[in-house]
């Protein structure tokens, strides 16, 4: 089932999310719905608070680049109670967007590499050392679990430029649904 995506201005996007204590059928259903919602929105990552659940969970697909340079996407991956560590000193800028902030794409600076430890949907712990855009997606989604949005990471001048547009998203989505 495709879920409603909460948009900028919705207070749930600013919550610090709680750890998941047990992987129940409800969580499994939520994960399936989140993957469907992510794909329907043509996103490559989606965090639980974006669909109204303030819990530490996100889903994503990896970018896969063939030797010929063609891009495709991996099967979906599930991260429960993720912990990020070991950010590289080297930082890189690249373009990000967010299903909760439609219409805005901006360059964000983040570490090139990151380590992530989490549980999968079976409750098994795993660890990944990731770099490049796939690392960026994990950092972006993990930010959502702490109430942080990518626009918070822009410098003040860029952020100021977006202000009226952000207000417009907020206005549109607080009136209707
Ligand atoms: Zn996002």
């Amino acid at each position: 089932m495709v879920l409603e995506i909460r948009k900028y201005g919705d207070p749930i996007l600013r919550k610090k999310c709680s750890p998941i204590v047990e992987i129940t059928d409800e969580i499994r259903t939520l994960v399936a719905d989140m993957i469907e919602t992510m794909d329907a929105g043509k996103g490559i990552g989606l965090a639980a608070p974006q669909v109204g659940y303030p819990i530490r969970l996100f889903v994503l697909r990896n970018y896969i680049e063939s030797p010929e340079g063609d891009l495709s996407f991996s099967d979906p991956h599930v991260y429960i109670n993720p912990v990020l560590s070991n950010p590289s000193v080297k930082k890189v800028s690249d373009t990000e967007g967010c299903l909760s902030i439609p219409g805005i794409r901006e360059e964000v600076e983040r570490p090139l590499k990151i380590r992530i430890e989490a549980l999968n949907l079976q409750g098994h712990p795993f660890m990944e050392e990731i770099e490049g855009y796939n690392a960026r997606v994990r950092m972006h989604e993990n930010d959502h679990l702490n109430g942080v949005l990518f626009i918070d990471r822009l410098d003040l001048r860029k952020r100021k430029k977006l202000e009226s547009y952000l207000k417009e998203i907020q206005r549109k989505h607080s009136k209707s649904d």
Side-chain angles (χ1 to χ4, degrees):
M1 185 174 74
V2 173
L3 305 171
E4 184 206 337
I5 293 180
R6 304 297 185 93
K7 300 298 191 313
Y8 180 79
D10 190 314
I12 199 164
L13 295 175
R14 292 309 192 177
K15 279 216 167 110
K16 183 155 171 72
C17 297
S18 308
I20 292 175
V21 287
E22 196 190 345
I23 300 166
T24 57
D25 282 347
E26 195 193 352
I27 296 287
R28 282 184 277 270
T29 302
L30 174 62
V31 164
D33 288 345
M34 282 174 64
I35 291 166
E36 212 181 315
T37 305
M38 169 176 77
D39 290 345
K42 298 196 187 333
I44 52 164
L46 186 70
Q50 293 181 274
V51 289
Y53 293 79
I55 55 174
R56 305 190 80 78
L57 159 70
F58 61 75
V59 298
L60 58 80
R61 290 178 188 272
N62 282 324
Y63 273 105
I64 304 171
E65 200 179 342
S66 75
E68 293 78 36
D70 298 322
L71 278 182
S72 59
F73 298 103
S74 73
D75 288 338
H77 293 248
V78 179
Y79 297 80
I80 293 170
N81 300 341
V83 177
L84 269 53
S85 62
N86 268 34
S88 61
V89 176
K90 182 171 173 159
K91 293 188 173 184
V92 285
S93 286
D94 211 331
T95 310
E96 294 186 24
C98 182
L99 292 174
S100 294
I101 316 175
I104 292 182
R105 292 182 64 76
E106 289 288 340
E107 293 258 316
V108 183
E109 189 182 69
R110 295 191 191 263
L112 173 66
K113 301 181 190 179
I114 197 81
R115 175 186 298 162
I116 181 165
E117 292 165 88
L119 301 177
N120 64 18
L121 198 51
Q122 287 71 46
H124 298 135
F126 65 97
M127 191 264 277
E128 298 171 329
E129 306 264 6
I130 303 275
E131 70 172 272
Y133 207 86
N134 292 324
R136 175 174 297 278
V137 175
R138 284 154 177 80
M139 290 184 262
H140 175 118
E141 299 311 330
N142 193 68
D143 271 352
H144 275 300
L145 308 186
N146 296 319
V148 175
L149 301 171
F150 81 96
I151 48 169
D152 303 338
R153 298 194 176 278
L154 301 175
D155 64 51
L156 218 59
R157 238 184 47 214
K158 260 193 195 168
R159 178 77 192 255
K160 268 259 169 335
K161 255 175 44 193
L162 296 175
E163 213 138 86
S164 60
Y165 189 81
L166 289 169
K167 282 216 179 88
E168 182 62 22
I169 298 177
Q170 204 162 348
R171 193 190 57 80
K172 224 161 69 187
H173 292 280
S174 58
K175 273 194 181 155
S176 56
D177 46 33

